[in-house]
Amino acid sequence: MTRVVCHADPADVPLRRAAGDVHVVLYGRGRMPDGIARLGAGVLDAVSRIGFALRDDAFDFLTIALAVTAADTFVLRELAEDRWSRRLELSVPLADPRPWVAVRAQLEEALRFLSGDSWSLSFPRGGPRRPSQAVIDGRRRRIDLSRSESACLFSGGLDSYIGALDLIAQGERPLLVSHAYRGDRRYQDRTAHALPVACARFSANAHPTWSGTTDVSMRTRSFNFLAYGAAAATAISQARAGRRVTLWVPENGLIALNAPLTPRRIGSHSTRTTHPYFLRSIQDVLDAVGLPVAIVNPLRHQTKGEMVLRHAGDPAFVAQAVRTVSCGKWKRDGTQCGRCVPCLIRRASFHAAGIADTTGYRSQALAPVLGDIALRDDLASVRSAVRRARRTAMEPWVLQAGPLPEEPVERDGCIEVFGRGIDELRSFLHANGLP
């Protein structure tokens, strides 16, 4: 088991440290001694721009999420016994540990489902404190919450663009919440500026940094994103006399379920970032702690093609939709590959909606990809899934990704959207000469 110990202050890090332990300064700034990591300074800046002090429980949830990001980043999967499932002991100091100690087991189970790792959490006292009123008062640029009655996760991708458009069409101006990884801010800003009305923004980058090697699997990134959203929604609640606020998490139903396309992709090797079981697990934690946040995926029963088709008659939408980023490999060189699973679902959605996809993909033609052993894995898996769908019942397949809601309408909606999503992929592959 690898022990990750988080600290509120660099001075708290012991001079003599046990071999193998990872020490992290939360919300740390500046250069740290070798072997000591830091992250979250940008998050603290974003919180200070709300204009008033955030509730302790919402701030502590951010602290927990940052600590999870630290463990996920600074502990390498390749060092695990099976080179994937790590055993992580994480110590996170909090401003008020009491409500979080009561939900520790629930958090550990949710994180296990999300990342495939074994988590053991502890919450000592003495954690980082929310920004002081003096710091808040010193901010020249503040987040304007006056028009926002809900918060919406906003990655700058096609789903979050449609999610924001849908809310605006319903008369809302959601607070857009972005996890601005390096390189993401430019297209997030571009997509936000393409919306028909201006929306307030909460944007931050955890920016985990240290002198050692980092892991790139980042299975827990959505937990961090949800914590940003919960903080933003709680801030709106504080500005609205404490009422419960919706945190919208727009993601098409096929990707949200992310059932394994092949047996090799079963388990946490398929991401579970917006799976209904994970979102329900986090909702249960927030409810138990008392945070006034309701997590909702409004697109959970829609395929990406159905979402795009609803807006296909709007030229402004079409012009921006092809400029959004969906690719899982985009960060490598700023070009969408066109052959990963998210790209293939994106391309299939434009095909389903009858929209000419002018995105400049690295692999525009797909037939040559199947002949390249270094590139074909995702495309071959999608092709295999399309064939498998002709002879396999949907419900057992979808259940391989995780438990489904018990409520019949919700459960049936999940199963049916998965089948329709596979149909969209089949139609797209056939149109590209890949039966």
Side-chain angles (χ1 to χ4, degrees):
M1 179 174 286
T2 302
R3 186 166 174 256
V4 180
V5 185
C6 298
H7 306 274
D9 191 298
D12 297 335
V13 181
L15 295 177
R16 301 183 67 177
R17 302 184 289 274
D21 284 2
V22 177
H23 288 264
V24 183
V25 178
L26 300 170
Y27 308 106
R29 299 180 184 275
R31 184 177 178 82
M32 298 289 165
D34 285 351
I36 300 177
R38 65 174 173 86
L39 81 169
V43 178
L44 200 64
D45 286 342
V47 171
S48 71
R49 296 181 189 280
I50 290 173
F52 49 81
L54 186 65
R55 282 173 45 162
D56 278 339
D57 47 9
F59 187 73
D60 276 343
F61 189 43
L62 274 177
T63 300
I64 293 169
L66 287 173
V68 167
T69 296
D72 196 19
T73 304
F74 303 131
V75 180
L76 303 183
R77 285 192 182 275
E78 64 186 48
L79 300 180
E81 292 180 3
D82 62 356
R83 300 181 65 82
W84 182 260
S85 298
R86 300 161 295 188
R87 296 173 63 236
L88 301 165
E89 180 182 337
L90 178 59
S91 173
V92 191
L94 299 177
D96 183 6
R98 290 171 298 176
W100 299 101
V101 169
V103 297
R104 180 176 60 191
Q106 292 172 260
L107 273 173
E108 290 171 345
E109 171 56 26
L111 292 172
R112 184 207 61 77
F113 176 81
L114 182 63
S115 73
D117 302 302
S118 173
W119 293 83
S120 177
L121 305 177
S122 62
F123 303 124
R125 292 188 175 277
R129 294 286 178 173
R130 62 194 181 186
S132 68
Q133 195 62 49
V135 170
I136 293 169
D137 291 342
R139 294 298 184 193
R140 294 181 180 178
R141 296 177 58 191
R142 298 186 183 183
I143 301 171
D144 181 6
L145 301 178
S146 61
R147 296 182 178 179
S148 300
E149 295 191 355
S150 66
C152 180
L153 298 192
F154 189 77
S155 67
L158 184 54
D159 288 23
S160 67
Y161 176 46
I162 292 175
L165 282 175
D166 289 346
L167 291 171
I168 290 169
Q170 296 165 20
E172 290 201 37
R173 286 199 184 185
L175 172 61
L176 304 180
V177 181
S178 300
H179 196 171
Y181 286 106
R182 184 175 298 176
D184 291 350
R185 187 181 299 273
R186 176 173 53 84
Y187 71 79
Q188 289 170 351
D189 288 348
R190 182 177 66 206
T191 305
H193 292 154
L195 294 172
V197 298
C199 295
R201 308 275 302 279
F202 178 100
S203 179
N205 183 357
H207 195 45
T209 305
W210 80 326
S211 57
T213 307
T214 58
D215 193 88
V216 297
S217 59
M218 285 298 291
R219 281 294 188 263
T220 64
R221 62 188 178 275
S222 64
F223 182 60
N224 210 15
F225 205 178
L226 284 173
Y228 287 9
T234 302
I236 295 171
S237 174
Q238 290 179 244
R240 297 284 187 278
R243 71 169 180 80
R244 191 172 171 88
V245 171
T246 301
L247 170 59
W248 303 103
V249 182
E251 185 81 88
N252 73 83
L254 181 62
I255 283 288
L257 291 166
N258 207 18
L261 298 175
T262 67
R264 186 167 63 86
R265 290 171 175 252
I266 201 165
S268 61
H269 290 270
S270 288
T271 57
R272 295 162 160 181
T273 57
T274 51
H275 191 280
Y277 177 77
F278 176 66
L279 294 184
R280 181 68 254 174
S281 297
I282 298 304
Q283 182 68 68
D284 289 344
V285 167
L286 299 184
D287 289 346
V289 170
L291 283 169
V293 180
I295 302 172
V296 179
N297 177 1
L299 307 176
R300 63 194 181 280
H301 294 161
Q302 298 175 45
T303 69
K304 205 178 192 87
E306 291 162 354
M307 291 157 45
V308 173
L309 180 61
R310 285 193 288 105
H311 295 272
D314 181 357
F317 167 79
V318 174
Q320 179 55 37
V322 297
R323 301 181 72 199
T324 60
V325 175
S326 305
C327 181
K329 300 176 174 63
W330 177 84
K331 288 183 175 62
R332 296 180 182 180
D333 63 3
T335 303
Q336 301 191 72
C337 72
R339 60 180 181 269
C340 67
V341 171
C343 274
L344 293 170
I345 294 174
R346 168 195 174 92
R347 296 177 72 172
S349 74
F350 286 126
H351 175 75
I355 291 176
D357 186 0
T358 58
T359 308
Y361 299 110
R362 192 181 303 113
S363 295
Q364 199 74 42
L366 293 179
V369 173
L370 282 178
D372 190 328
I373 194 170
L375 303 178
R376 69 188 183 192
D377 183 67
D378 279 16
L379 179 57
S381 295
V382 168
R383 195 183 189 195
S384 174
V386 164
R387 292 173 172 176
R388 176 186 176 190
R390 295 186 182 279
R391 61 181 188 277
T392 303
M394 289 293 109
E395 184 170 1
W397 188 354
V398 174
L399 281 168
Q400 290 179 333
L404 292 176
E406 293 295 332
E407 200 279 319
V409 173
E410 282 295 318
R411 189 182 187 88
D412 291 347
C414 291
I415 297 166
E416 292 165 6
V417 77
F418 182 77
R420 298 198 307 275
I422 294 293
D423 287 343
E424 286 182 6
L425 287 167
R426 177 185 294 111
S427 176
F428 172 68
L429 292 184
H430 284 190
N432 281 268
L434 299 176

